[in-house]
Amino acid sequence: MTSQLDKGKRVAVDSASPSSKSSSNAEVKIGEPCSLVSATYSVEACREAIAKFIIKDEMSFRVVEGEGFREMLGVFENTFKVPSRTTIARDILQLYKKTKKDLTDFFVSSHQRVCLTIDTWTSAQNLCYMCLTAHFIDDNWTLHKKILNFCQVADHKGEIIGRQIETCLLDWGIERVFTVTVDNASSNDGVVFYLSKVVNNWNGAL
Protein backbone atom coordinates (compact mmCIF):
# COMPACT_ATOMS: atom_id res chain seq x y z
CA MET A 1 0.00 0.00 0.00
CA THR A 2 1.40 3.41 -0.93
CA SER A 3 0.55 6.87 0.34
CA GLN A 4 0.82 10.08 -1.63
CA LEU A 5 0.45 13.65 -0.45
CA ASP A 6 -1.03 15.80 -3.21
CA LYS A 7 -0.14 19.50 -2.84
CA GLY A 8 -0.28 19.20 0.93
CA LYS A 9 -4.06 18.90 0.98
CA ARG A 10 -5.20 15.44 -0.12
CA VAL A 11 -4.12 11.98 0.92
CA ALA A 12 -5.00 8.92 -1.13
CA VAL A 13 -4.26 5.32 -0.23
CA ASP A 14 -4.38 2.71 -2.98
CA SER A 15 -3.94 -1.04 -2.99
CA ALA A 16 -2.23 -2.91 -5.80
CA SER A 17 -4.81 -5.72 -5.77
CA PRO A 18 -7.13 -5.59 -8.83
CA SER A 19 -10.01 -7.43 -7.14
CA SER A 20 -9.85 -5.91 -3.67
CA LYS A 21 -8.95 -2.29 -2.99
CA SER A 22 -8.74 0.07 -0.01
CA SER A 23 -8.98 3.79 -0.59
CA SER A 24 -9.38 6.92 1.50
CA ASN A 25 -9.56 10.61 0.69
CA ALA A 26 -9.22 13.20 3.43
CA GLU A 27 -8.77 16.97 3.45
CA VAL A 28 -5.85 17.85 5.72
CA LYS A 29 -3.76 20.88 6.54
CA ILE A 30 -0.01 20.84 6.93
CA GLY A 31 1.01 20.41 10.54
CA GLU A 32 -2.40 19.20 11.74
CA PRO A 33 -3.08 15.58 12.73
CA CYS A 34 -5.37 13.61 10.46
CA SER A 35 -6.92 10.16 10.36
CA LEU A 36 -7.59 7.99 7.34
CA VAL A 37 -10.75 5.91 7.03
CA SER A 38 -10.30 2.99 4.67
CA ALA A 39 -13.03 1.43 2.57
CA THR A 40 -12.82 -1.92 0.81
CA TYR A 41 -14.63 -3.38 -2.16
CA SER A 42 -14.51 -6.63 -4.09
CA VAL A 43 -15.32 -7.30 -7.71
CA GLU A 44 -17.52 -10.24 -6.72
CA ALA A 45 -19.58 -8.14 -4.30
CA CYS A 46 -20.05 -5.42 -6.94
CA ARG A 47 -21.24 -7.90 -9.55
CA GLU A 48 -23.65 -9.48 -7.09
CA ALA A 49 -25.00 -6.03 -6.20
CA ILE A 50 -25.59 -5.29 -9.90
CA ALA A 51 -27.40 -8.61 -10.29
CA LYS A 52 -29.66 -7.84 -7.32
CA PHE A 53 -30.30 -4.34 -8.67
CA ILE A 54 -31.49 -5.78 -12.00
CA ILE A 55 -33.72 -8.34 -10.25
CA LYS A 56 -35.29 -6.04 -7.66
CA ASP A 57 -35.87 -3.10 -10.02
CA GLU A 58 -36.90 -5.38 -12.92
CA MET A 59 -34.33 -3.94 -15.29
CA SER A 60 -33.23 -5.48 -18.58
CA PHE A 61 -29.83 -7.12 -18.81
CA ARG A 62 -28.70 -4.52 -21.34
CA VAL A 63 -28.82 -1.79 -18.68
CA VAL A 64 -25.21 -2.68 -17.79
CA GLU A 65 -24.13 -1.69 -21.30
CA GLY A 66 -25.75 1.74 -21.12
CA GLU A 67 -23.43 4.73 -21.30
CA GLY A 68 -24.94 6.43 -18.26
CA PHE A 69 -24.75 3.29 -16.12
CA ARG A 70 -21.08 2.79 -16.96
CA GLU A 71 -20.26 6.44 -16.29
CA MET A 72 -21.95 6.22 -12.89
CA LEU A 73 -19.98 3.12 -11.87
CA GLY A 74 -16.82 4.77 -13.15
CA VAL A 75 -17.36 7.58 -10.66
CA PHE A 76 -17.87 5.07 -7.84
CA GLU A 77 -14.79 3.01 -8.73
CA ASN A 78 -12.92 3.68 -11.95
CA THR A 79 -10.99 0.40 -11.85
CA PHE A 80 -14.13 -1.76 -11.84
CA LYS A 81 -14.76 -3.46 -15.18
CA VAL A 82 -18.51 -3.41 -15.81
CA PRO A 83 -19.69 -6.87 -16.97
CA SER A 84 -21.52 -7.38 -20.25
CA ARG A 85 -25.21 -8.30 -20.35
CA THR A 86 -24.23 -11.91 -21.11
CA THR A 87 -22.01 -12.07 -18.05
CA ILE A 88 -24.57 -10.44 -15.78
CA ALA A 89 -27.21 -12.89 -17.02
CA ARG A 90 -24.93 -15.74 -15.91
CA ASP A 91 -24.40 -14.00 -12.57
CA ILE A 92 -28.16 -13.74 -12.05
CA LEU A 93 -28.64 -17.42 -12.86
CA GLN A 94 -25.93 -18.37 -10.36
CA LEU A 95 -27.51 -16.10 -7.75
CA TYR A 96 -30.87 -17.81 -8.36
CA LYS A 97 -29.33 -21.26 -7.94
CA LYS A 98 -27.62 -20.25 -4.70
CA THR A 99 -30.77 -18.63 -3.32
CA LYS A 100 -32.87 -21.65 -4.27
CA LYS A 101 -30.43 -24.04 -2.59
CA ASP A 102 -30.41 -21.97 0.59
CA LEU A 103 -34.21 -21.82 0.68
CA THR A 104 -34.58 -25.52 -0.13
CA ASP A 105 -32.15 -26.39 2.66
CA PHE A 106 -34.24 -24.23 4.99
CA PHE A 107 -37.49 -26.00 4.05
CA VAL A 108 -35.91 -29.44 4.44
CA SER A 109 -34.19 -28.77 7.76
CA SER A 110 -36.98 -26.78 9.40
CA HIS A 111 -39.94 -28.82 8.10
CA GLN A 112 -41.56 -25.44 7.57
CA ARG A 113 -45.31 -25.45 6.97
CA VAL A 114 -46.33 -23.10 4.17
CA CYS A 115 -49.47 -21.53 2.78
CA LEU A 116 -49.82 -21.61 -0.99
CA THR A 117 -51.50 -19.18 -3.36
CA ILE A 118 -52.12 -20.26 -6.94
CA ASP A 119 -52.89 -18.03 -9.88
CA THR A 120 -53.60 -19.29 -13.40
CA TRP A 121 -54.50 -17.43 -16.55
CA THR A 122 -54.51 -17.64 -20.34
CA SER A 123 -52.46 -15.20 -22.40
CA ALA A 124 -53.53 -13.38 -25.54
CA GLN A 125 -51.65 -16.07 -27.47
CA ASN A 126 -53.92 -18.70 -25.85
CA LEU A 127 -51.09 -20.07 -23.69
CA CYS A 128 -51.82 -21.23 -20.15
CA TYR A 129 -49.66 -20.06 -17.26
CA MET A 130 -49.45 -20.71 -13.53
CA CYS A 131 -47.78 -18.83 -10.69
CA LEU A 132 -47.24 -20.64 -7.37
CA THR A 133 -46.32 -18.60 -4.28
CA ALA A 134 -45.42 -19.84 -0.80
CA HIS A 135 -46.11 -17.80 2.34
CA PHE A 136 -44.63 -18.68 5.72
CA ILE A 137 -43.51 -17.22 9.05
CA ASP A 138 -40.00 -17.99 10.29
CA ASP A 139 -38.79 -18.49 13.86
CA ASN A 140 -38.47 -14.72 14.28
CA TRP A 141 -42.12 -14.22 13.31
CA THR A 142 -41.15 -12.60 10.03
CA LEU A 143 -43.60 -13.12 7.18
CA HIS A 144 -42.03 -14.30 3.92
CA LYS A 145 -43.47 -14.54 0.42
CA LYS A 146 -41.55 -16.56 -2.17
CA ILE A 147 -42.53 -17.26 -5.77
CA LEU A 148 -41.74 -20.95 -6.22
CA ASN A 149 -42.71 -21.34 -9.84
CA PHE A 150 -43.88 -19.28 -12.80
CA CYS A 151 -44.43 -21.60 -15.71
CA GLN A 152 -46.48 -22.55 -18.72
CA VAL A 153 -48.92 -25.44 -18.26
CA ALA A 154 -50.75 -27.62 -20.77
CA ASP A 155 -54.19 -26.41 -19.66
CA HIS A 156 -56.12 -25.39 -16.57
CA LYS A 157 -57.60 -28.78 -15.70
CA GLY A 158 -57.47 -29.51 -11.98
CA GLU A 159 -55.32 -32.63 -12.08
CA ILE A 160 -52.80 -31.12 -14.50
CA ILE A 161 -52.35 -28.06 -12.28
CA GLY A 162 -52.21 -30.30 -9.21
CA ARG A 163 -49.46 -32.47 -10.70
CA GLN A 164 -47.46 -29.38 -11.65
CA ILE A 165 -47.72 -28.08 -8.08
CA GLU A 166 -46.76 -31.49 -6.68
CA THR A 167 -43.61 -31.53 -8.81
CA CYS A 168 -42.74 -28.02 -7.69
CA LEU A 169 -43.21 -28.78 -3.98
CA LEU A 170 -40.99 -31.85 -4.22
CA ASP A 171 -38.35 -29.81 -6.03
CA TRP A 172 -38.31 -27.27 -3.20
CA GLY A 173 -38.36 -29.86 -0.41
CA ILE A 174 -41.78 -28.75 0.86
CA GLU A 175 -43.91 -31.48 2.43
CA ARG A 176 -46.07 -29.57 4.89
CA VAL A 177 -48.84 -27.42 3.44
CA PHE A 178 -51.19 -25.53 5.73
CA THR A 179 -53.59 -23.87 3.28
CA VAL A 180 -54.14 -23.42 -0.45
CA THR A 181 -55.76 -20.24 -1.75
CA VAL A 182 -57.24 -20.21 -5.26
CA ASP A 183 -59.80 -18.18 -7.16
CA ASN A 184 -63.37 -19.33 -7.81
CA ALA A 185 -62.70 -21.17 -11.09
CA SER A 186 -64.46 -24.54 -11.02
CA SER A 187 -61.29 -26.38 -12.08
CA ASN A 188 -59.63 -25.34 -8.81
CA ASP A 189 -61.84 -27.81 -6.94
CA GLY A 190 -59.89 -30.52 -8.72
CA VAL A 191 -56.60 -28.83 -7.81
CA VAL A 192 -57.41 -28.78 -4.10
CA PHE A 193 -58.75 -32.35 -4.18
CA TYR A 194 -55.59 -33.63 -5.87
CA LEU A 195 -53.26 -31.74 -3.51
CA SER A 196 -55.19 -32.97 -0.47
CA LYS A 197 -54.51 -36.58 -1.43
CA VAL A 198 -50.86 -35.94 -2.22
CA VAL A 199 -50.04 -33.91 0.90
CA ASN A 200 -51.90 -36.28 3.19
CA ASN A 201 -49.79 -39.12 1.80
CA TRP A 202 -46.75 -37.06 2.78
CA ASN A 203 -48.26 -36.57 6.26
CA GLY A 204 -48.25 -32.88 5.46
CA ALA A 205 -51.84 -32.38 6.66
CA LEU A 206 -53.53 -30.08 4.18
Side-chain angles (χ1 to χ4, degrees):
M1 183 175 290
T2 61
S3 300
Q4 181 179 6
L5 184 63
D6 182 16
K7 296 182 180 180
K9 292 184 178 181
R10 185 174 297 275
V11 176
V13 181
D14 296 318
S15 169
S17 172
S19 61
S20 179
K21 181 177 180 180
S22 297
S23 62
S24 175
N25 293 325
E27 296 293 339
V28 298
K29 294 181 179 180
I30 298 299
E32 292 186 358
C34 66
S35 61
L36 299 179
V37 179
S38 64
T40 61
Y41 94 100
S42 73
V43 172
E44 293 76 14
C46 289
R47 284 176 51 171
E48 182 174 324
I50 294 174
K52 290 180 178 179
F53 154 70
I54 291 175
I55 294 169
K56 292 181 178 181
D57 288 357
E58 300 179 356
M59 307 297 292
S60 68
F61 296 154
R62 68 170 57 246
V63 70
V64 298
E65 296 179 348
E67 181 180 355
F69 184 83
R70 289 176 176 267
E71 286 182 356
M72 177 184 67
L73 291 188
V75 172
F76 294 161
E77 179 49 64
N78 58 16
T79 63
F80 176 66
K81 183 178 179 181
V82 182
S84 68
R85 58 182 175 180
T86 303
T87 300
I88 204 65
R90 287 198 299 265
D91 288 350
I92 289 174
L93 180 59
Q94 291 303 314
L95 180 60
Y96 165 76
K97 290 179 178 179
K98 178 182 180 300
T99 303
K100 181 178 180 179
K101 182 181 183 304
D102 292 343
L103 187 56
T104 301
D105 291 345
F106 168 77
F107 285 137
V108 172
S109 62
S110 67
H111 302 288
Q112 179 70 49
R113 180 173 289 184
V114 303
C115 298
L116 301 176
T117 54
I118 305 164
D119 191 16
T120 58
W121 68 95
T122 303
S123 70
Q125 294 78 25
N126 204 32
L127 300 175
C128 301
Y129 290 92
M130 179 194 74
C131 182
L132 178 66
T133 307
H135 311 259
F136 61 93
I137 297 174
D138 63 19
D139 293 338
N140 296 320
W141 290 93
T142 301
L143 177 63
H144 297 268
K145 180 179 73 173
K146 303 293 183 181
I147 295 178
L148 302 181
N149 203 0
F150 184 102
C151 63
Q152 186 178 342
V153 292
D155 57 48
H156 291 163
K157 293 180 180 178
E159 185 171 342
I160 290 177
I161 298 296
R163 289 185 182 277
Q164 185 70 43
I165 295 172
E166 177 188 10
T167 300
C168 183
L169 295 179
L170 290 173
D171 185 42
W172 283 90
I174 298 174
E175 295 183 347
R176 305 184 67 197
V177 178
F178 185 51
T179 63
V180 176
T181 302
V182 295
D183 59 27
N184 60 356
S186 59
S187 61
N188 284 328
D189 293 339
V191 174
V192 175
F193 179 74
Y194 182 87
L195 288 178
S196 296
K197 293 191 300 180
V198 169
V199 175
N200 286 332
N201 288 337
W202 296 342
N203 294 321
L206 178 62

